[in-house]
Amino acid sequence: MNLVGHLSCFVAVAEELHFGRAADRLGMAQPPLSQRIQRLERELGVKLFDRSSRHVALTAAGELLLGEARDLLARADRITALAERVRDGEALRAGVPAGLGGGVVAALIAAYRERRPGVRLDLRELPTTTQVRALLDGSLDVGVLRHPCETRGLSLGPLLDQRIGVLLRAPAPPELALADLAGRDLVLFPRDEAPGSHDDWLAACRRHGFAPPTVHEAHPPFALGLVLAGTAVAFSPRVPDTAEAVWRPLRGEPLAWRTSCAWRNDTVGPAVADFTSVASAVFRREAAMTEPGPRRRVVPRPASGFLA
Amino acid sequence: MRAVAEAFRAAGVTGRLHARDIDTGGVVDVGGDEPVVLASVYKVPLLVAFYREAAAGRLDPAERITLPAGGRSPGPTGTSVMLDDVTLSLRDLALLMITVSDNGAADTIYDYVGRDTVNAAMAAFGLTRTRVTGNGRDLFAGLLDDAAAADLGDLWERLDEPGLSGRLGALDPTRTSASTPAEMTALLALIWRDEAAPPDACMHMRRMLGLQVWPHRLSSGFPFDDVHVAGKTGTLPTIRNEIGVVEYPDGGRYAVAVFTRSLLPVAVLPEADAVIGTAARLAVEELRRRP
């Protein structure tokens, strides 16, 4: 029996709870689908569905096996994908977040090519949330994430902080405090791309006396437009000054981009390990990333205390 | 309900909600069958088992016992933070366990009732996905072990190390006391319908849940003087839960269970607390709109 094929029939029926719809989804007719389910039930020695004239319902055994079946199908998909990649030559699918800067991306590609000339680096710019999903479903081998984000099921490379400053219309003093920005609007990367650091930064702004009346969610070119119009400021790693817009450090370094490489727990190979070490070196050298700062202080309160 | 999912997203949490009209059986379900970490919500199954044991004559809720000053389970409230020996009846310890989530009191009740008794009581109600695996002391020890942390302050300060929270068994429903939102609203409905234990015991349980002091979660969603909110919170790093019952003056009674997990590893996150109330109100209003 083709177990994978039969299990995909089982999962389709379990999800649709309707033989007709499941058959449509699988692109087959209903009688052979029913036969396959019966064959699977005989093979496994358990009944997977309760069928009445109107309803199809999973049995307890069906419920129990569904998760395992999905898991097995996902693994089978990965085997096919892996075989394709071996056939087409070794490639590393890597994600990086927006805002790294062209120079950093170029240095990363060059350094990786030097370390692993035989591996094709398939580099894509993807938001953190998309990268996490893609790493978990196997469509990405390694990513560069902005923290905090969901990291269950992932392993992480070394943590690095990138100092964030403010981009504003010239002229500007050599250094500013966040409170000096009071009253200005803020342009920030879209929250959906990395809700953890988006919320983290806004909390830091409020903490330090900057509660922007409006937060625009936008990417660099549009952000620069709003900055040049003089109504808003933007946060970014250091960028070269122009005649109209200048980058300034923030006093006390209240904002940082916390970054690390990440890969799925069970997939570390030499290509991923090399990417992680190359990326860390490039980020330190080209993006002025550093070890994370001192540990934060947490004063426990009863309502948020242990088992409140 | 899309509005509930949107409220969770805006608050920066992943959330699961189940709401149940206690009298009509109508439900609102947003991931209500997903496994969730109970945290201190485990004290509600424990409370039910306690009163069932009392009803069966296997323990005396009025028995006075003394908890010595040293050695009470850690926690931020109640007997856990008191300085001297404490003598109270078992049912007043249960009251502290529910109203201020007292861990010292809860672990004492747990010792009297026993884990297997709690799980057997839940199974007898058909709540087969509700499993209590340990008490507060067990959870505390496991949390520090998994993090290799010296104490809870140490753990909190390091919680922003990416990957750390993923290693904590106490935050993983397959490795700690867990249930589903739908099973928790079913349990509350049993208490409110006098079916979880004899009616006078259910009355005591409802009273305790109604005396809970915390205003920041479920209760905050119902800023109406004529609406009664009873509940029990559950809190662990990044986890904020509350289950409870909301009663309207027209007699409408709704059991709601909200379980959240925040992305930000910070201890004080008012928007994550408040969305528990907001999501509950959206669900209850939906139930009240139905004919």
Side-chain angles (χ1 to χ4, degrees):
Chain A
M1 183 180 68
N2 166 8
L3 184 64
V4 171
H6 281 68
L7 285 178
S8 67
C9 293
F10 164 53
V11 169
V13 176
E15 285 174 356
E16 300 291 342
L17 292 178
H18 189 282
F19 276 87
R21 284 197 299 270
D24 283 347
R25 182 168 130 185
L26 294 162
M28 63 195 291
Q30 199 175 325
L33 176 61
S34 296
Q35 284 161 19
R36 282 201 186 184
I37 296 293
Q38 284 163 15
R39 172 90 198 279
L40 184 64
E41 287 179 320
R42 275 201 308 278
E43 189 82 20
L44 296 172
V46 291
K47 209 158 166 267
L48 298 169
F49 296 101
D50 282 322
R51 307 173 186 79
S52 71
S53 53
R54 295 191 172 186
H55 294 294
V56 179
L58 273 173
T59 62
E63 292 267 10
L64 201 63
L65 292 172
L66 181 57
E68 293 295 325
R70 285 191 178 123
D71 202 39
L72 201 141
L73 292 178
R75 281 166 179 272
D77 284 346
R78 289 209 292 273
I79 288 179
T80 315
L82 192 62
E84 258 171 37
R85 288 168 50 208
V86 172
R87 198 170 58 226
D88 301 343
E90 196 184 353
L92 183 75
R93 299 160 305 167
V96 293
L100 267 187
V104 178
V105 171
L108 180 60
I109 292 169
Y112 193 74
R113 188 179 295 146
E114 190 175 323
R115 175 79 66 96
R116 289 234 144 209
V119 179
R120 186 164 54 80
L121 182 63
D122 172 7
L123 196 65
R124 316 157 196 191
E125 187 180 271
L126 296 169
T128 288
T129 43
T130 311
Q131 287 193 49
V132 168
R133 266 199 310 277
L135 289 168
L136 290 174
D137 73 20
S139 55
L140 199 65
D141 299 311
V142 63
V144 176
L145 303 181
R146 303 288 197 201
H147 296 285
C149 63
E150 181 58 57
T151 57
R152 264 162 213 283
L154 301 180
S155 300
L156 304 172
L159 286 181
L160 292 169
D161 275 0
Q162 185 172 24
R163 187 166 60 142
I164 295 300
V166 60
L167 189 65
L168 67 178
R169 189 164 72 164
E175 188 188 55
L176 291 104
L178 272 175
D180 298 336
L181 306 176
R184 315 284 282 272
D185 289 343
L186 174 65
V187 201
L188 203 53
F189 59 89
R191 182 170 185 264
D192 283 346
E193 297 189 352
S197 43
H198 188 101
D199 292 358
D200 207 15
W201 287 15
L202 287 182
C205 287
R206 284 194 297 274
R207 168 73 186 269
H208 292 96
F210 174 37
T214 305
V215 178
H216 303 277
E217 299 192 4
H219 287 289
F222 188 75
L224 185 63
L226 292 175
V227 168
L228 291 176
T231 55
V233 297
F235 291 140
S236 84
R238 178 184 284 278
V239 289
D241 289 352
T242 64
E244 297 86 21
V246 292
W247 184 91
R248 292 290 182 259
L250 286 164
R251 193 171 305 139
E253 303 189 6
L255 301 177
W257 238 338
R258 180 154 293 183
T259 299
S260 80
C261 291
W263 57 92
R264 210 174 58 194
N265 278 339
D266 53 356
T267 59
V268 66
V272 167
D274 279 343
F275 180 87
T276 300
S277 91
V278 163
S280 298
V282 167
F283 292 162
R284 284 169 194 275
R285 195 178 65 234
E286 303 289 333
M289 292 196 197
T290 55
E291 301 290 323
R295 206 193 255 208
R296 70 210 181 106
R297 173 166 182 259
V298 181
V299 184
R301 298 182 193 178
S304 54
F306 173 68
L307 277 189
Chain B
M1 272 187 78
R2 187 174 300 169
V4 170
E6 175 55 29
F8 286 141
R9 199 197 61 79
V13 303
T14 49
R16 307 278 181 256
L17 171 144
H18 195 266
R20 190 187 295 271
D21 185 320
I22 290 174
D23 300 300
T24 69
V27 302
V28 168
D29 183 345
V30 181
D33 287 321
E34 303 268 332
V36 290
V37 169
L38 284 174
S40 278
V41 173
Y42 94 91
K43 291 164 185 166
V44 179
L46 176 56
L47 179 72
V48 170
F50 170 79
Y51 270 110
R52 289 169 67 84
E53 289 297 282
R58 285 190 285 270
L59 60 79
D60 172 11
E63 180 188 343
R64 295 174 69 78
I65 61 157
T66 298
L67 310 183
R72 289 192 293 259
S73 300
T77 61
T79 61
S80 291
V81 290
M82 291 179 189
L83 297 176
D84 301 315
D85 292 357
V86 178
T87 302
L88 280 175
S89 68
L90 282 174
R91 65 182 185 179
D92 280 344
L93 285 169
L95 177 89
L96 287 178
M97 160 175 98
I98 296 298
T99 56
V100 297
S101 208
D102 182 334
N103 291 333
D107 283 4
T108 306
I109 301 288
Y110 188 94
D111 290 343
Y112 268 74
V113 175
R115 181 191 61 196
D116 296 346
T117 308
V118 179
N119 289 327
M122 295 304 108
F125 294 133
L127 306 180
T128 54
R129 299 179 66 196
T130 302
R131 296 289 301 173
V132 171
T133 61
N135 62 9
R137 196 185 298 275
D138 298 334
L139 208 52
F140 192 73
L143 206 53
L144 297 191
D145 266 5
D146 291 345
D151 54 43
L152 198 69
D154 182 30
L155 189 152
W156 262 120
E157 288 177 7
R158 286 175 39 212
L159 204 67
D160 62 341
E161 287 174 15
L164 178 67
S165 69
R167 291 201 298 275
L168 305 178
L171 310 187
D172 177 351
T174 65
R175 292 158 69 195
T176 189
S177 296
S179 180
T180 65
E183 290 205 348
M184 286 295 100
T185 60
L187 183 62
L188 290 168
L190 291 170
I191 299 173
W192 256 254
R193 288 199 306 256
D194 284 343
E195 293 166 8
D200 68 314
C202 288
M203 183 270 289
H204 281 299
M205 291 190 249
R206 292 194 294 269
R207 171 175 172 267
M208 289 180 188
L209 290 161
L211 288 170
Q212 187 191 217
V213 298
W214 310 116
H216 57 322
R217 294 194 184 156
L218 186 57
S219 178
S220 73
F222 300 88
F224 317 124
D225 284 349
D226 57 349
V227 168
H228 183 256
V229 179
K232 179 71 200 81
T233 56
T235 310
L236 280 172
T238 70
I239 285 183
R240 293 168 183 80
N241 305 331
E242 188 160 355
I243 70 168
V245 170
V246 183
E247 296 177 79
Y248 278 70
D250 62 4
R253 309 186 292 175
Y254 312 93
V256 192
V258 187
F259 292 81
T260 74
R261 211 179 258 278
S262 69
L263 215 49
L264 291 189
V266 300
V268 182
L269 196 59
E271 50 274 43
D273 292 315
V275 77
I276 291 174
T278 307
R281 186 181 65 243
L282 290 167
V284 166
E285 284 171 351
E286 163 69 18
L287 287 174
R288 285 175 66 77
R289 267 196 299 274
R290 293 180 187 170

